[in-house]
Amino acid sequence: MISFCVIIRIFNALKAWRTQVSTRLKRLCPLLLAPILWTTGVPLYAATPSETDKSVRAIVSGIISYTRWPASLTTPPRLCIFSSSRYVGVLRSGDIGPTPWQAVVVSTEQQALGASCDAIYFGNESAEEQQKIIQRYQPRALLSIAEQNSQCIVGSAFCLSINSERVKFSVNLDALSRSGVRVNPDVLMLARNKKHE
């Protein structure tokens, strides 16, 4: 038969053990959670957009907002963003604010052709590659914007010029006239002005 004193000792030992386990878990939890918080927290800090990111997004947003497609779109236009773009994160993210487009990230020409894009944002694709993809979309209306087409003679209708100080854009009127979309003349005047940012 177990005496009352033995029961109290067992009870106190269990209580002490529970306190020790609880204290150790309290110390251990931050160590266990730190890697999880670190991996989920780093992208949040890394995703903080720079002024250049914001400028690129604002210019793309302005161009798309002032573009009209021949068939009235019942939803925001589908913007296919090539994964080679330096600004894919800021263009597809809704964290900065709402966008006038539905973002779709594509990696290949085949993905771009299969995505039924209303607009394409090119990254490192050459002017010739841009031209080839745009031609394969015809006769469908397609707005094209490139971040790596400094001459803006072949390829996309709009070309961003990005440097450390500011972001500007130019327009290829020949490509725009063949695109099947209409862009507000004020946007075209900004492109000619060369003082926009």
Side-chain angles (χ1 to χ4, degrees), residues 149-174:
N149 188 347
S150 58
Q151 297 298 315
C152 209
I153 297 170
V154 177
S156 294
F158 288 93
C159 307
L160 303 186
S161 173
I162 303 166
N163 62 39
S164 59
E165 297 173 10
R166 59 183 169 183
V167 179
K168 300 187 293 185
F169 69 94
S170 54
V171 62
N172 177 340
L173 291 174
D174 185 43

Side-chain angles (χ1 to χ4, degrees), residues 13-143:
L14 285 174
K15 185 176 176 185
W17 178 79
R18 190 172 25 158
T19 303
Q20 284 180 344
V21 169
S22 175
T23 303
R24 286 181 183 163
L25 281 176
K26 285 179 185 175
R27 289 182 193 153
L28 194 58
C29 278
L31 295 175
L32 293 173
L33 290 176
I36 296 169
L37 293 174
W38 177 255
T39 56
T40 58
V42 168
L44 294 176
Y45 295 118
T48 303
S50 68
E51 290 303 313
T52 303
D53 293 339
K54 291 176 186 176
S55 294
V56 167
R57 184 178 166 110
I59 288 176
V60 171
S61 183
I63 291 170
I64 290 176
S65 295
Y66 287 97
T67 299
R68 298 294 168 257
W69 281 260
S72 294
L73 301 175
T74 56
T75 60
R78 181 179 291 246
L79 173 63
C80 292
I81 307 161
F82 270 86
S83 59
S84 62
S85 164
R86 288 185 294 167
Y87 302 97
V88 66
V90 76
L91 291 173
R92 76 171 172 200
S93 173
D95 295 341
I96 297 173
T99 58
W101 63 78
Q102 299 172 16
V104 177
V105 178
V106 296
S107 300
T108 65
E109 177 183 341
Q110 295 306 324
Q111 288 178 350
L113 293 171
S116 299
C117 310
D118 298 303
I120 293 183
Y121 185 91
F122 293 103
N124 289 334
E125 291 69 31
S126 69
E128 291 74 23
E129 290 172 310
Q130 294 170 29
Q131 185 76 27
K132 181 180 171 189
I133 293 170
I134 292 165
Q135 286 175 344
R136 292 193 60 191
Y137 253 92
Q138 291 177 345
R140 184 169 182 211
L142 180 71
L143 174 67

